[in-house]
């Protein structure tokens, strides 16, 4: 069955340090992959998406993710964390065999000053 | 351009009561979805629709019903509310089946007591 695994349920960083949120996907097809962000008590906002073009994808607010087929990974990174980055992040997959987006369980990012 | 609009934003139900969560979109999207979000579990698909008059079950459909009489509206019905249905519900829509991601509503927080 199709699944998305977010390897960390909680990541804590200091402001100004790099952020790495890890995600592995399971699809053997060519997937579309997304990262969504959810700030406390808010809806979901699309950060970035991969749809089989360039493997390094740039998103909003300085985030980027790299698609690595050999590792079935799509990790999210940011060079320097900001307090406003504190939120929950979801790695999401869609492939042609599926009917809808499949969500990972989420990673909560905490940023301390 | 309102996007995806969900009402109400908050609701408290008593066990056994029924209610309808409303969802409407103004982007002329054919595809619409209902997800529920529970802490630490990501989002799970309840029902989806590929166009007016066509609906299908997702991963967790029990206790819910949907209808799609127009392209714009996709209401979710809870007939006999149970504490297990306490959750945050998100409606989403998309132009394509999923390759470009979805647009999400702001969510409905439902508590069943």
């Amino acid at each position: 069955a199709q699944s998305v695994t977010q390897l960390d349920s909680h990541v804590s960083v200091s402001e100004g340090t790099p952020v790495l949120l890890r995600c592995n996907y399971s699809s053997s097809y060519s997937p579309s992959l997304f990262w969504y962000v959810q700030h406390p008590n808010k809806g979901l906002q699309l950060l970035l998406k991969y749809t089989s073009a360039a493997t390094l994808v740039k998103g909003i607010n300085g985030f980027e993710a790299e698609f690595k087929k050999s590792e079935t990974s799509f990790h999210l990174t940011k060079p320097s964390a900001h307090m406003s980055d504190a939120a929950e992040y979801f790695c999401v997959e869609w492939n042609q065999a599926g009917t809808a987006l499949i969500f990972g369980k989420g990673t909560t990012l905490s940023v301390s000053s | 351009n309102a996007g995806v609009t969900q009402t109400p934003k908050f609701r408290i139900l008593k066990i056994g009561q029924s209610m309808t969560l409303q969802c409407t979109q103004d982007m002329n999207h054919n595809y619409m979805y209902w997800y529920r979000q529970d802490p630490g579990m990501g989002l799970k698909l309840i029902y989806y629709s590929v166009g007016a008059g066509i609906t299908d079950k997702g991963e967790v459909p029990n206790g819910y019903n949907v209808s799609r009489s127009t392209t714009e509206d996709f209401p979710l019905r809870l007939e006999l509310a149970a504490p297990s249905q306490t959750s945050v519900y998100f409606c989403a829509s998309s132009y394509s089946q999923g390759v470009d991601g979805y647009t999400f509503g702001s969510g409905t927080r439902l508590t069943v007591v």
Side-chain angles (χ1 to χ4, degrees):
Chain A
Q2 190 179 349
S3 67
V4 176
T5 303
Q6 292 185 241
L7 296 164
D8 307 290
S9 59
H10 197 163
V11 171
S12 296
V13 300
S14 298
E15 192 173 23
T17 64
V19 175
L20 170 64
L21 305 183
R22 300 182 295 165
C23 173
N24 287 121
Y25 66 93
S26 67
S27 176
S28 58
Y29 297 92
S30 295
S32 292
L33 295 165
F34 312 85
W35 278 97
Y36 280 84
V37 60
Q38 183 181 31
H39 288 93
N41 299 312
K42 300 290 185 183
L44 290 99
Q45 180 184 20
L46 180 65
L47 265 183
L48 51 81
K49 65 180 178 182
Y50 165 79
T51 55
S52 76
T55 56
L56 183 62
V57 182
K58 294 187 184 298
I60 61 172
N61 300 332
F63 284 94
E64 61 182 36
E66 186 172 8
F67 174 73
K68 292 187 176 180
K69 187 173 183 178
S70 61
E71 299 176 8
T72 61
S73 69
F74 190 59
H75 301 336
L76 181 70
T77 60
K78 183 173 180 177
S80 177
H82 191 273
M83 296 294 287
S84 61
D85 294 328
E88 187 154 22
Y89 292 80
F90 292 98
C91 183
V92 184
E93 176 184 0
W94 182 82
N95 67 49
Q96 294 179 356
T99 53
L101 295 185
I102 303 297
F103 282 74
K105 293 185 177 182
T107 298
T108 301
L109 176 65
S110 299
V111 182
S112 58
S113 57
Chain B
N1 190 344
V4 178
T5 302
Q6 290 183 238
T7 56
K9 294 190 181 301
F10 305 94
R11 183 72 185 268
I12 298 175
L13 278 182
K14 294 184 178 179
I15 295 172
Q17 287 185 321
S18 61
M19 76 164 295
T20 299
L21 281 66
Q22 301 291 345
C23 176
T24 187
Q25 53 93 6
D26 62 358
M27 297 171 286
N28 202 32
H29 287 170
N30 282 326
Y31 299 88
M32 296 189 74
Y33 313 85
W34 275 105
Y35 285 85
R36 60 176 288 171
Q37 181 184 22
D38 300 298
M41 298 302 294
L43 276 71
K44 301 288 187 183
L45 182 67
I46 305 171
Y47 271 94
Y48 67 99
S49 170
V50 302
I54 306 170
T55 62
D56 208 346
K57 296 177 180 179
E59 186 179 359
V60 290
N62 291 342
Y64 308 95
N65 279 300
V66 294
S67 60
R68 184 91 183 273
S69 57
T70 66
T71 299
E72 295 78 19
D73 300 308
F74 190 41
L76 178 71
R77 179 85 177 160
L78 284 71
E79 291 293 349
L80 291 170
S84 61
Q85 294 177 304
T86 294
S87 188
V88 180
Y89 292 83
F90 286 100
C91 180
S93 73
S94 64
Y95 177 74
S96 60
Q97 192 172 0
V99 66
D100 292 317
Y102 299 164
T103 301
F104 283 87
S106 58
T108 295
R109 185 175 295 275
L110 176 67
T111 302
V112 182
V113 297

